[in-house]
Amino acid sequence: MGERAELEERLAELEDAFRSPRASFPKIEPYFPSPPRHDDAYDDEDGKDVEEEDFCDAGPGQDISMPLVLTRSASMVDREKTRKLYKSVVKIYANISSPNPRMPWQKLRQTSSTSSGFVIDGRRILCNAHGVEEAVTIRVQKTGSSKRFKATVISVGHNCDLALLSIEDEGFWVKDTLALPLGDVPNLQQKVSVIGYPAGGDVICVTMGVVSRVEMHTYSHSACRYLAVQIDAAINSGNSGGPAVCDDKIIGVAFESYAGTSLENVGYIIPVPVIRNFLWEVDNQGKYNGPCELGVVFQETYSAAMRKALQLPDDDTGMLVTKIDGLSPSAKVLKARDVVLSIDGHKINSQGEIDFPELEGQTIALEYIVSNHHCGETAQLEVWRSGTKLALEVPVQPSNDLVRQHLYDRPVTYYIFAGLVFMELNFQYLEWAF
């Protein structure tokens, strides 16, 4: 009974305490951290001034007593670079009047086409040759503008499918029209963005993908072989001439895609080495002469029996010369059954490939080295002839085909006699006739 009475007494005291108006409890002081200072500037840990706009409010779970210092967010910088990039990409309108292959004294009905291009150094626009081929008038429209500026062709290289345009109107060259810098050959699986004005809309379009392959490729416009980069980004009609961009630098010019049904997402861009070669010849020689060649037909030497017959060492190098163009400079230097072991210091394997100078661990066809030469230069060859190594110099030059692949931007010459029409033979006419 004593314990129960004690508990009842304690309970009564507690009830009296809660009812009392003078009851006091421990005082809890609220904590309000000091907000960040908004002085004009103060020094950070590195002693640099931090401006007022560099502060921002703290988010949930952050200590707002410490200022968050932001220079500029990466997304803001990327958006600004992208905006400047778009300003240098243009849409090209061309009115085309092609010659009639059947009646060379006439022109075909005039048509129109659109393609893309972009500004480079020297106040020039780089685009595809097939975008301005046989063009009577050329107009250029900038991104975000409705005005079309008259353009003229400075130089055109149909072999490599590149052309340069100029615009005299000073209104086009405002401060936000900047020259886009050239980059390097991209690595495999490197991300790439293709910018241009393809079919399906009127405003600028961006497609993205990765680099799938880098190798020698036959360009459809000229049937010449050059270095090309294969990507899986969509390249459609109208994209031709638009820049392929990686890390804010140009890595190529979009120019064609695979149109078959057995392959998907196969597009091609003209890489920087071909662009630089084209620009160098235009700037230093006044025109583009085309890809240089040795004028030689090679055969692979991976067969053990063949290597033994040619007395070649067992090192998997060399390509056998089987035929030489009689009009080429190589006819005075090389002989049939010669084996070319290296070119310009690059060893040639038995399948005609060398180590790719621009991409470590990759190989490329030896014609890549030859095509990088300019007209009038010489190639240094190491040749195996009858069991002896020779060091030879061979001049390189563009091919001089008796029957030209195409006749671009000039009228077809013809002669009429006794009711017969005589004209220059070319592949364009053969394709139309047969």
Side-chain angles (χ1 to χ4, degrees):
M1 294 293 294
E3 294 181 0
R4 182 174 180 177
E6 185 177 355
L7 290 173
E8 291 178 352
E9 185 177 355
R10 293 283 303 275
L11 182 59
E13 291 178 357
L14 289 173
E15 290 177 353
D16 292 340
F18 278 107
R19 292 192 186 99
S20 174
R22 291 176 295 181
S24 61
F25 298 93
K27 184 177 180 182
I28 300 177
E29 294 289 343
Y31 173 68
F32 296 100
S34 57
R37 290 183 297 166
H38 289 272
D39 304 328
D40 291 340
Y42 76 95
D43 293 338
D44 63 0
E45 294 179 358
D46 298 327
K48 299 179 182 179
D49 289 342
V50 180
E51 299 296 335
E52 179 179 353
E53 64 262 22
D54 292 331
F55 291 99
C56 74
D57 294 332
Q62 294 177 332
D63 185 1
I64 61 173
S65 63
M66 296 297 294
L68 295 179
V69 180
L70 297 178
T71 53
R72 294 177 72 185
S73 67
S75 60
M76 292 175 59
V77 174
D78 291 342
R79 284 197 297 269
E80 184 175 349
K81 288 182 178 179
T82 302
R83 182 185 61 82
K84 292 181 179 180
L85 189 66
Y86 292 168
K87 289 290 185 179
S88 298
V89 180
V90 299
K91 188 173 184 178
I92 300 173
Y93 297 84
N95 291 324
I96 301 167
S97 180
S98 301
N100 190 333
R102 184 179 179 181
M103 295 178 285
W105 55 88
Q106 290 185 349
K107 291 278 190 178
L108 295 176
R109 184 169 59 90
Q110 190 173 109
T111 60
S112 60
S113 69
T114 61
S115 58
S116 306
F118 58 95
V119 178
I120 61 171
D121 61 339
R123 302 182 77 172
R124 299 174 295 182
I125 295 175
L126 184 65
C127 63
N128 278 145
H130 73 258
V132 294
E133 174 192 1
E134 308 289 355
V136 179
T137 60
I138 302 174
R139 302 281 177 176
V140 171
Q141 181 177 341
K142 296 176 62 176
T143 302
S145 173
S146 59
K147 184 176 180 180
R148 299 181 184 180
F149 298 87
K150 182 180 179 181
T152 56
V153 177
I154 302 175
S155 183
V156 59
H158 286 287
N159 299 86
C160 62
D161 201 2
L162 292 172
L164 287 175
L165 307 180
S166 67
I167 297 178
E168 297 182 357
D169 193 333
E170 291 295 329
F172 179 86
W173 304 105
V174 294
K175 61 181 181 180
D176 60 347
T177 305
L178 304 177
L180 301 183
L182 297 178
D184 300 308
V185 177
N187 294 310
L188 299 182
Q189 295 186 336
Q190 192 167 350
K191 293 183 179 179
V192 57
S193 300
V194 178
I195 308 173
Y197 293 87
D202 296 324
V203 299
I204 197 167
C205 174
V206 181
T207 57
M208 301 185 67
V210 297
V211 175
S212 306
R213 183 183 297 166
V214 182
E215 65 176 357
M216 299 298 290
H217 176 73
T218 301
Y219 287 20
S220 61
H221 181 61
S222 62
C224 294
R225 285 181 61 81
Y226 285 93
L227 184 68
V229 177
Q230 178 184 323
I231 61 176
D232 65 356
I235 297 179
N236 298 308
S237 177
N239 263 129
S240 296
V245 183
C246 181
D247 297 330
D248 302 320
K249 291 186 177 180
I250 304 301
I251 63 168
V253 178
F255 76 111
E256 67 183 31
S257 60
Y258 185 80
T261 57
S262 59
L263 296 177
E264 296 180 356
N265 300 329
V266 177
Y268 295 95
I269 62 176
I270 303 172
V272 171
V274 179
I275 299 173
R276 293 190 189 277
N277 192 297
F278 168 71
L279 294 177
W280 188 93
E281 292 201 4
V282 171
D283 294 337
N284 294 276
Q285 298 180 353
K287 65 175 183 177
Y288 182 68
N289 299 290
C292 289
E293 299 178 353
L294 289 173
V296 174
V297 178
F298 289 107
Q299 181 178 343
E300 298 176 346
T301 61
Y302 58 81
S303 169
M306 178 186 292
R307 299 188 68 86
K308 184 177 180 180
L310 295 171
Q311 302 177 3
L312 286 171
D314 189 17
D315 55 1
D316 192 40
T317 60
M319 287 286 285
L320 176 65
V321 176
T322 60
K323 187 177 180 181
I324 304 174
D325 183 358
L327 299 178
S328 69
S330 298
K332 300 178 181 180
V333 181
L334 297 176
K335 296 181 179 180
R337 294 183 65 84
D338 282 348
V339 179
V340 181
L341 303 177
S342 70
I343 178 169
D344 294 338
H346 301 279
K347 287 187 177 181
I348 305 171
N349 65 23
S350 59
Q351 293 184 334
E353 298 175 334
I354 62 171
D355 291 334
F356 200 171
E358 280 78 11
L359 292 180
E360 185 177 355
Q362 301 291 323
T363 58
I364 194 74
L366 68 89
E367 56 189 317
Y368 169 69
I369 294 295
V370 182
S371 65
N372 276 345
H373 279 284
H374 303 292
C375 184
E377 296 180 346
T378 58
Q380 308 294 324
L381 302 182
E382 186 181 26
V383 177
W384 182 272
R385 179 181 295 171
S386 302
T388 305
K389 283 187 179 180
L390 302 175
L392 303 176
E393 288 188 357
V394 179
V396 294
Q397 66 179 22
S399 64
N400 188 20
D401 298 328
L402 294 179
V403 179
R404 296 185 178 275
Q405 290 285 345
H406 298 281
L407 300 176
Y408 294 113
D409 300 325
R410 69 176 180 88
V412 179
T413 57
Y414 63 95
Y415 178 71
I416 301 177
F417 178 77
L420 299 176
V421 179
F422 299 87
M423 57 183 293
E424 182 179 355
L425 183 62
N426 61 85
F427 276 92
Q428 280 179 310
Y429 177 80
L430 294 176
E431 290 174 356
W432 170 81
F434 302 100

